[in-house]
Amino acid sequence: MKIIVAIKRVVDYAVKIRVKPDKSGVETSNVKMSMNPFCEIALEEALRIKESGRASEVVAVSVGPAQCADTLRTGLAMGADRAIHVDYPGTLYPLSIAKILKALVDAEKPGLLLLGKQAIDDDCNQTGQMVAGLLKWPQATFASKVVFDEENKVATVDREVDGGIETLSLDLPAVIT
């Protein structure tokens, strides 16, 4: 099974954020950027799945300006087998990213698409759900534990909810955040 992991380049979590003088957004020039911590968790999970023998390949994907290549290199250094950079210098929204990811999934044919639960820059938590809807794949959000049954092509996902832990069973291929 091939796993695609979407990773996002964001302002490093340890950087003190500065608002632009015109108050149009956050200052990002000359600011340390890094992989979104939740995307890093998704990539680590994909690598654990591969190390356990349940996946054949982990592909890291990032959409954005040329500087995203640095984030992808981090993903490769962590252990991803390949990296795909979709160069897009303009403003991106969750639905735009979801449509790009759908096109990549259609081309790559993975058995699993992993994303971070949300990005620390915009806190949107939308892309995973949108891409699952576009693909018509089952989804599990806020996953805390994932177990695979390769024979039946099913993933069992424990997710944290207000009342405790909810367990979902998803047919593969699926989207998990």
Side-chain angles (χ1 to χ4, degrees):
M1 170 177 70
K2 181 189 299 187
I3 301 173
I4 290 181
V5 182
I7 57 176
K8 185 175 183 182
R9 179 179 179 263
V10 297
V11 174
D12 190 87
Y13 69 91
V15 170
K16 184 175 173 151
I17 301 297
R18 293 185 319 263
V19 177
K20 290 181 181 179
D22 65 359
K23 301 199 185 332
S24 64
V26 173
E27 185 63 54
T28 57
S29 58
N30 299 320
V31 173
K32 182 181 179 195
M33 305 294 270
S34 62
M35 185 184 304
N36 179 49
F38 295 114
C39 297
E40 190 171 344
I41 292 167
L43 181 57
E44 288 170 355
E45 181 63 23
L47 295 171
R48 275 193 289 276
I49 294 166
K50 182 181 177 205
E51 287 171 5
S52 72
R54 292 181 172 89
S56 57
E57 182 179 29
V58 174
V59 181
V61 174
S62 191
V63 181
Q67 296 90 335
C68 286
D70 294 337
T71 308
L72 287 171
R73 276 192 283 280
T74 300
L76 289 167
M78 289 173 67
D81 299 298
R82 285 191 298 132
I84 299 172
H85 176 220
V86 178
D87 189 17
Y88 190 88
T91 303
L92 289 162
Y93 297 98
L95 184 57
S96 307
I97 300 293
K99 288 178 179 179
I100 291 167
L101 289 174
K102 180 190 181 307
L104 284 170
V105 165
D106 289 343
E108 291 284 330
K109 308 280 190 255
L112 184 62
L113 176 60
L114 290 178
L115 298 90
K117 72 172 185 168
Q118 67 194 66
I120 63 169
D121 57 357
D122 58 16
D123 267 349
C124 275
N125 180 24
Q126 297 174 352
T127 306
Q129 292 88 325
M130 288 179 177
V131 74
L134 292 170
L135 290 166
K136 296 181 177 39
W137 283 10
Q139 66 172 321
T141 58
F142 301 104
S144 58
K145 180 181 174 186
V146 181
V147 178
F148 291 97
D149 177 353
E150 290 118 34
E151 264 184 55
N152 297 318
K153 295 193 178 191
V154 172
T156 302
V157 178
D158 288 348
R159 60 187 301 264
E160 298 174 17
V161 295
D162 289 340
I165 301 292
E166 177 182 46
T167 302
L168 302 174
S169 182
L170 309 173
D171 293 329
L172 296 174
V175 176
I176 300 176
T177 66

